[in-house]
Amino acid sequence: MSTDDCFAIDHRLLPLADAFSLIAERVVPVTGTETVALADCAGRVLAEPLLASVTQPPFDNAAMDGFAVRQSELQGGQRRLKIAARIAAGHPEHAAPPRGCAVEIFTGAPLPAGFDTVVMAEDCKRDGGYVVLPDRIEPHSHVRRAGIDFTAGDRLLAPGRRLRPQDIGIAAATGATGLTVRKRLKIGLFSTGDELVAPGDALQAGQIFDSNRPMLRAALQAMGFAVTDLGHLPDRMDALVTAFGLAALDQDALISTGGVSVGGEDHVRAAIESLGQIFFWKLALKPGKPIALGHVGDAAFIGLPGNPVSSLISLLVVGRAVLHRLAGAVLDAELPPAVIVPAGADLGVPGNRINFIRGSLETRDGQLSALPYFSQDSSLISSLTGSSGLIELTAGSSTVAAGTPVLFRAYESMMR
Ligand code: AMP
Ligand code: MG
């Protein structure tokens, strides 16, 4: 995290796009690299480009089971050829077949030198040691040329890529047994609030169970991060300062939920300012307006609001972009791609903030649309379990009426 000057923006709501620019400017990858066996690379962030050490496929080969011929030898209309050899995948024929012959060949088997066309078995008739070919033969058909997939030296994957199963596949296709990846980002997670008790403990008057910490931890793990649960903190400045200060010594990022607003019991922001620095803390975002980004020593700090809905949405919309960047990942965009669908109901007036509305995609009469969950109260955990994603509305002063195209993102796409 770069810390040369103060970016605290106090009194206005920072637009989300500006927050993303600040993040791009301020947040630099913190993790070192390590070499990891290919079997454990899925979800990790590639640290060095993957260069092809071989050509794929390494040789011309059959794309079908059938008979390979030399196109030039069929010019005279010759259709009945002697079968000179049988070539299966993994068993190349080393002797050059004589002129005027076909070879029986199987998918993936190397073509003998000079053979340039494969006729599929279904179109041929076998006649003892001979094959009768069809009249019409497409020159060069059913042949995979060496190098059509990639060529030795090609740059196959760029650093910063979060490795998908198919990326593991292409690395294996080059013969790689392991890859150099970024070390996993270490995240310490806290919840704050005098009213919270851990599930398993008895609820006393005025208390509720701490639901954010398990929820946020699960979301962070789904994104591929290593999370240390650092427990629950009371609404006391000294307790926050001590806990955050200590945790910053061995985590790359700290995340807390609750206590980040302006109430008399909200001490998170002041605690961070006393230990380090806040870059922003009020975004033009609904829900999730108070969300703090800053640092404590070398650790990034993300202060999420306490309302369960706000805490999860602000993690997905803002925290996710910060954390992937810290982890060395290169995202195509801060938010994953959205589908554009008509709103299935009137969605109200967004006002001066970007709105993220909990909702679900529904098909009615063959038409896909995004329906809002019936209540948008940000204290309702049930609105998160009862919806499948977020409808994004840009700030504006007119009603977003049913039928208006809106952006929709499934939760799953934001939890990776
Ligand atoms: P705060 O942001 O601390 O003012 O909290 C806002 C609301 O969210 C309050 O009603 C809190 O009780 C609730 N809340 C805060 N943290 C949690 C948590 N970890 N789990 C469940 N609810 C919470
Ligand atoms: Mg609180």
Side-chain angles (χ1 to χ4, degrees):
M1 187 133 299
S2 117
T3 59
D4 39 324
D5 58 20
C6 186
F7 254 80
I9 290 165
D10 223 11
H11 297 299
R12 67 186 184 95
L13 296 181
L14 187 68
L16 186 58
D18 292 3
F20 286 151
S21 310
L22 250 176
I23 289 167
E25 239 168 71
R26 288 302 164 126
V27 178
V28 290
V30 293
T31 56
T33 65
E34 61 185 344
T35 300
V36 167
L38 212 50
D40 300 317
C41 281
R44 301 296 299 270
V45 177
L46 190 64
E48 290 172 356
L50 174 68
L51 301 177
S53 54
V54 296
T55 289
Q56 171 75 3
F59 43 82
D60 294 354
N61 68 93
M64 287 282 203
D65 293 344
F67 292 88
V69 295
R70 302 174 178 103
Q71 183 62 35
S72 60
E73 293 177 1
L74 303 174
Q75 301 303 331
Q78 178 64 356
R79 284 298 177 267
R80 188 167 181 279
L81 304 184
K82 189 170 164 51
I83 303 169
R86 183 178 189 278
I87 310 176
H91 301 279
E93 171 70 27
H94 297 297
R99 295 200 61 75
C101 289
V103 297
E104 186 175 15
I105 198 158
F106 297 88
T107 305
L111 286 169
F115 281 65
D116 52 17
T117 299
V118 171
V119 186
M120 56 198 265
E122 293 89 322
D123 294 341
C124 299
K125 233 171 60 208
R126 185 191 282 275
D127 177 10
Y130 288 78
V131 58
V132 181
L133 303 170
D135 290 339
R136 239 188 58 81
I137 296 174
E138 191 64 38
H140 306 293
S141 53
H142 308 313
V143 170
R144 305 169 180 146
R145 307 291 297 189
I148 49 167
D149 204 345
F150 52 81
T151 306
D154 282 355
R155 189 180 152 107
L156 300 177
L157 299 174
R161 188 174 181 100
R162 296 167 62 212
L163 295 165
R164 302 179 295 167
Q166 52 268 53
D167 302 329
I168 307 300
I170 207 168
T174 70
T177 56
L179 292 171
T180 305
V181 296
R182 293 273 188 179
K183 287 196 170 138
R184 265 187 212 280
L185 194 70
K186 290 194 294 178
I187 299 176
L189 177 64
F190 294 99
S191 54
T192 72
D194 287 350
E195 74 280 30
L196 303 176
V197 292
D201 290 348
L203 278 186
Q204 307 295 334
Q207 295 184 322
I208 58 169
F209 288 120
D210 180 348
S211 55
N212 289 358
R213 193 150 42 91
M215 170 175 65
L216 298 172
R217 181 181 187 174
L220 290 163
Q221 284 171 337
M223 293 176 198
F225 302 117
V227 187
T228 305
D229 186 339
L230 295 176
H232 160 250
L233 301 173
D235 289 316
R236 274 198 352 256
M237 176 74 173
D238 62 326
L240 299 181
V241 170
T242 306
F244 293 160
L246 269 176
L249 300 177
D250 48 29
Q251 302 293 334
D252 300 313
L254 302 183
I255 299 180
S256 72
T257 169
V260 77
S261 201
V262 287
E265 297 299 331
D266 294 322
H267 305 295
V268 168
R269 186 179 157 225
I272 297 314
E273 279 175 332
S274 83
L275 290 162
Q277 187 187 2
I278 296 271
F279 300 138
F280 62 70
W281 74 288
K282 270 171 146 184
L283 297 191
L285 184 66
K286 186 183 170 184
K289 175 175 74 176
I291 164 174
L293 177 67
H295 73 95
V296 175
D298 290 336
F301 185 91
I302 300 172
L304 304 175
N307 266 321
V309 172
S310 315
S311 76
L312 186 65
I313 293 182
S314 54
L315 175 70
L316 301 184
V317 172
V318 182
R320 175 181 172 275
V322 172
L323 295 168
H324 280 314
R325 217 181 150 78
L326 273 178
V330 176
L331 300 180
D332 293 334
E334 283 82 1
L335 292 170
V339 292
I340 301 175
V341 289
D346 284 352
L347 297 178
V349 181
N352 65 347
R353 301 188 263 165
I354 286 195
N355 284 205
F356 286 96
I357 294 174
R358 282 140 278 159
S360 299
L361 290 181
E362 304 244 345
T363 310
R364 268 190 210 160
D365 307 326
Q367 168 71 58
L368 197 63
S369 63
L371 277 184
Y373 188 74
F374 73 86
S375 170
Q376 297 295 316
D377 180 331
S378 68
S379 71
L380 304 181
I381 309 172
S382 55
S383 68
L384 291 171
T385 56
S387 57
S388 59
L390 299 176
I391 303 166
E392 177 183 331
L393 303 185
T394 43
S397 54
S398 47
T399 299
V400 178
T404 308
V406 291
L407 300 176
F408 181 87
R409 294 181 184 86
Y411 291 128
E412 283 72 17
S413 72
M414 311 174 91
M415 290 190 195
R416 60 171 301 278

